[in-house]
Amino acid sequence: MSTTAPASRAAEILSRPVSLNGLTVPNRIAMAPMTRQFSPGGVPGEDVAEYYARRAAAGVGLIVTEGTYVGHDSAGESDRVPRFHGTEQLAGWTKVADAVHAAGGTIVPQLWHIGMVRKAGKPPYADAPAVGPSGIRLDGTEGTGKAMTQADLDEVIAAFAEAAATAERIGFDGVELHGAHGYLLDQFLWAGTNRRTDAYGGDPVARTKFAAEIVAAVRDSVSADFPVLFRYSQWKSDNYDARLAETPEELEAILTPLAAAGVDAFHASTRRYWLPEFDGSDLNLAGWTKKLTGKPTITVGSVGLDGDFIKAFMGESSQVASLDNLLDRLERDEFDLVAVGRALLQDPEWAAKVLDGRLEELGSYDPKALSTLS
């Protein structure tokens, strides 16, 4: 472990650039995607552009936007979540990308389809059904959704590919595919929601087929050096103990087809980054992902804070925690980037303070103090 003073050590380690395919990210700090519902009509406005640009100007190297719905009617259930299709929506996103670049940052949109999480009658397309691998919700009930046909699968694959091509065309630096937290791609990956008996269901490799086909279609729709990121998790939005893989071997079976299909970097979502993923090793999920695939990885989960974000949703505050453990792992190359969520939400200057060695200026996270997400 380094004996360098904590402030200068953090600045030194986190300020190193990193390459994701053809993109050079100026430092190791990423902004985690956080749903905000501040885009009426699915259109990201000037306030959204300012929100992201403010954090880029303060030193965030890579911004991953909040989830944005791909062009499939069943993709979402809110008319205030941004969409990545439509003339007005894409004009808004173009301004977001331009603003972040003008502030010195890089940015990728997180492309999203919620699948069976969708509730009947919700906007933006009230008549659209919830769809998923088997028509089963995260709690195991069948609900009002339907199992996807081959035509449905093809439509969603095409929607992701079109969104990725659009992202490159309007000036984004890459894309992230949302395959985590129990949403559509994750519903195929997880045995709890994937009961299919065709080529898209069964063992872990078969359950990966749909996500791998999306990755391959996205890869084919963009330039060879355009980064494709894939976010995944073990846990689901209402089942924090759920696991895609109980062993490293099972995880390797899931990740290998995705890497082969064209994923350039994995964003491994955990609630607490410091927890080991499997018995017998201190590696976290991002660490195991890098070891098994050889791809760059992003870690996330209560970075700089002492409590996970689930408790924050319940109104609990979190105190500032030491970054020493995080920096030790970065020095060992366990992972390549660090995604920061709540800390950046409350303090847009978080990255600047860390990179400038001003750790004493970091504050605790108090959800009650957030009057606006600016």
Side-chain angles (χ1 to χ4, degrees):
M1 182 182 298
S2 172
T3 58
T4 307
S8 58
R9 181 178 180 231
E12 177 184 346
I13 293 173
L14 290 168
S15 64
R16 295 176 297 158
V18 61
S19 294
L20 304 178
N21 195 343
L23 175 67
T24 298
V25 179
N27 60 54
R28 301 303 176 105
I29 300 174
M31 181 175 182
M34 292 175 281
T35 296
R36 305 171 65 235
Q37 300 201 57
F38 276 22
S39 298
V43 179
E46 296 289 346
D47 59 321
V48 176
E50 292 170 3
Y51 164 78
Y52 289 119
R54 185 178 180 189
R55 285 151 179 85
V60 174
L62 174 68
I63 288 173
V64 182
T65 75
E66 61 209 282
T68 178
Y69 299 147
V70 297
H72 185 261
D73 287 358
S74 298
E77 63 172 2
S78 170
D79 200 38
R80 294 183 59 83
V81 166
R83 304 198 285 273
F84 214 79
H85 59 97
T87 302
E88 286 186 81
Q89 288 82 1
L90 294 177
W93 278 122
T94 301
K95 292 178 181 178
V96 171
D98 289 346
V100 168
H101 291 151
T106 63
I107 183 169
V108 300
Q110 187 189 67
L111 306 180
W112 191 21
H113 193 304
I114 71 172
M116 288 299 300
V117 173
R118 175 175 164 78
K119 299 178 180 64
K122 290 286 188 176
Y125 305 104
D127 294 335
V131 298
S134 305
I136 296 171
R137 297 193 181 278
L138 296 182
D139 62 4
T141 62
E142 294 191 10
T144 58
K146 69 164 191 168
M148 295 174 72
T149 64
Q150 186 63 54
D152 294 326
L153 298 173
D154 292 343
E155 287 178 2
V156 172
I157 291 169
F160 273 92
E162 182 177 357
T166 299
E168 183 174 25
R169 175 175 58 82
I170 66 176
F172 280 84
D173 298 297
V175 293
E176 177 171 283
L177 311 180
H178 196 343
H181 307 163
Y183 297 114
L184 181 62
L185 276 63
D186 193 23
Q187 289 161 23
F188 274 83
L189 297 177
W190 188 40
T193 42
N194 187 342
R195 314 284 177 81
R196 295 177 77 98
T197 57
D198 62 3
Y200 293 93
D203 63 27
V205 174
R207 295 198 305 271
T208 307
K209 179 176 172 61
F210 179 55
E213 288 183 350
I214 288 177
V215 172
V218 165
R219 182 77 274 160
D220 287 345
S221 74
V222 298
S223 300
D225 61 352
F226 191 71
V228 176
L229 285 59
F230 190 94
R231 194 179 211 213
Y232 83 100
S233 66
Q234 298 262 40
W235 64 276
K236 318 305 169 196
S237 57
D238 63 353
N239 187 341
Y240 307 128
D241 296 323
R243 296 178 69 80
L244 293 179
E246 295 291 347
T247 66
E249 292 75 20
E250 290 180 2
L251 184 62
E252 185 174 20
I254 293 166
L255 297 178
T256 298
L258 297 172
V263 171
D264 295 303
F266 287 94
H267 189 171
S269 178
T270 54
R271 295 168 62 196
R272 304 173 183 90
Y273 80 85
W274 55 86
L275 295 181
E277 192 57 41
F278 301 112
D279 291 339
S281 170
D282 289 335
L283 290 176
N284 70 4
L285 187 61
W288 272 109
T289 301
K290 184 173 183 178
K291 180 177 180 177
L292 295 171
T293 67
K295 300 289 186 179
T297 58
I298 305 171
T299 197
V300 69
S302 304
V303 171
L305 299 173
D306 66 356
D308 71 69
F309 67 93
I310 302 300
K311 292 181 179 178
F313 286 158
M314 301 174 184
E316 294 186 23
S317 61
S318 296
Q319 301 303 308
V320 176
S322 170
L323 295 176
D324 286 346
N325 181 281
L326 181 76
L327 299 174
D328 290 344
R329 291 168 183 262
L330 273 170
E331 279 195 313
R332 295 195 298 264
D333 289 325
E334 182 174 333
F335 38 72
D336 300 275
L337 288 110
V338 176
V340 181
R342 286 172 293 144
L344 267 174
L345 191 64
Q346 178 153 302
D347 185 357
E349 301 292 318
W350 188 92
K353 291 174 181 178
V354 172
L355 294 172
D356 292 344
R358 296 181 283 134
L359 300 185
E360 74 282 357
E361 296 181 24
L362 300 178
S364 59
Y365 174 82
D366 183 0
K368 300 184 178 103
L370 289 179
S371 58
T372 179
L373 304 185
S374 59

